[in-house]
Amino acid sequence: MNWTDERVEQLKKLWAEGLSASQIAAQLGGVSRNAVIGKVHRLKLSGRGKTTSTQTRSKKVNTTASAGHRSSVSTSAQMTSRVVTKSVGATALQQEYFVDTVTQTVMKPSTDVVVPISRRLELVQLSERTCKWPMGDPLQPDFHFCGNDVGEGGPYCTYHARLAYQPASDRRRVR
DNA sequence: CCCTGATTCGC
DNA sequence: GCGAATCAGG
């Protein structure tokens, strides 16, 4: 793959948006993150306008004073908002729809369940330890995955595993 | 260990 | 110019 004007254009755009080199590489396809970084330097774009501190890690908002043993969760993440909002860069504090990849059932998480904030990783960023649950509105897939730590070594994190194997009768359909 | 960008240097 | 390998860091 070579750096066509179009690809360079996209690189500039994504880099300006604050995406990390690996994410840009994943999006462009055919190049490694090193290639992206190298190109960025050659274009002299290294310094990004804002100090977009990537690394989406929940700030942890605990409303209950009880001894929480829930790990990091955000109260806002427990709310169910329908739309997948576009946020700046890789940081995405947004609610998602859940789609059972087997039954194609579209569902919303139960409101009484603690919903972990997903890391929204690119496909190529997944490893054996990252949750592979697909993210986004099924009608407008965004090709990101949960990416949170998988609990006992399954394909999904504890939350998504629970969702995946939830009886169909317990699922809440959307639309 | 996961990830990040920065730098080097053979191609 | 390109990008893998490497480095330094969170």
Side-chain angles (χ1 to χ4, degrees):
Chain A
M1 216 92 213
N2 62 318
W3 289 106
T4 60
D5 289 355
E6 195 174 332
R7 287 165 66 78
V8 171
E9 193 76 10
Q10 202 176 358
L11 165 62
K12 288 179 178 175
K13 177 193 164 198
L14 297 175
W15 182 259
E17 285 178 7
L19 292 193
S20 69
S22 61
Q23 289 177 306
I24 293 174
Q27 200 141 331
L28 290 176
V31 289
S32 66
R33 76 178 196 92
N34 275 328
V36 169
I37 291 174
K39 187 61 180 173
V40 163
H41 277 241
R42 265 171 257 126
L43 292 171
K44 302 185 194 303
L45 314 161
S46 46
R48 272 190 276 205
K50 296 190 175 181
T51 311
T52 309
S53 81
T54 327
Q55 287 312 79
T56 306
R57 240 354 0 136
S58 58
K59 291 287 187 276
K60 166 224 245 56
V61 178
N62 244 321
T63 47
T64 52
S66 60
H69 46 279
R70 262 307 184 183
S71 75
S72 58
V73 295
S74 167
T75 303
S76 62
Q78 294 178 47
M79 296 301 159
T80 310
S81 58
R82 332 188 61 256
V83 184
V84 175
T85 56
K86 294 299 176 188
S87 59
V88 185
T91 306
L93 246 188
Q94 52 199 214
Q95 193 43 268
E96 66 267 9
Y97 282 92
F98 297 99
V99 186
D100 185 309
T101 52
V102 177
T103 65
Q104 289 301 305
T105 303
V106 180
M107 53 201 166
K108 284 198 278 189
S110 302
T111 51
D112 64 340
V113 173
V114 175
V115 182
I117 297 173
S118 300
R119 295 174 63 200
R120 298 177 55 73
L121 299 182
E122 301 289 339
L123 176 60
V124 299
Q125 294 179 295
L126 298 178
S127 69
E128 290 182 30
R129 301 191 67 259
T130 52
C131 178
K132 298 156 192 67
W133 193 268
M135 311 289 299
D137 185 328
L139 298 184
Q140 294 181 51
D142 62 8
F143 306 105
H144 282 74
F145 299 82
C146 170
N148 282 334
D149 211 42
V150 298
E152 304 299 308
Y156 303 133
C157 63
T158 51
Y159 177 73
H160 287 131
R162 171 175 172 173
L163 202 59
Y165 306 122
Q166 201 175 56
S169 58
D170 288 351
R171 290 175 184 156
R172 302 188 181 193
R173 288 176 173 276
V174 183
R175 282 183 208 153

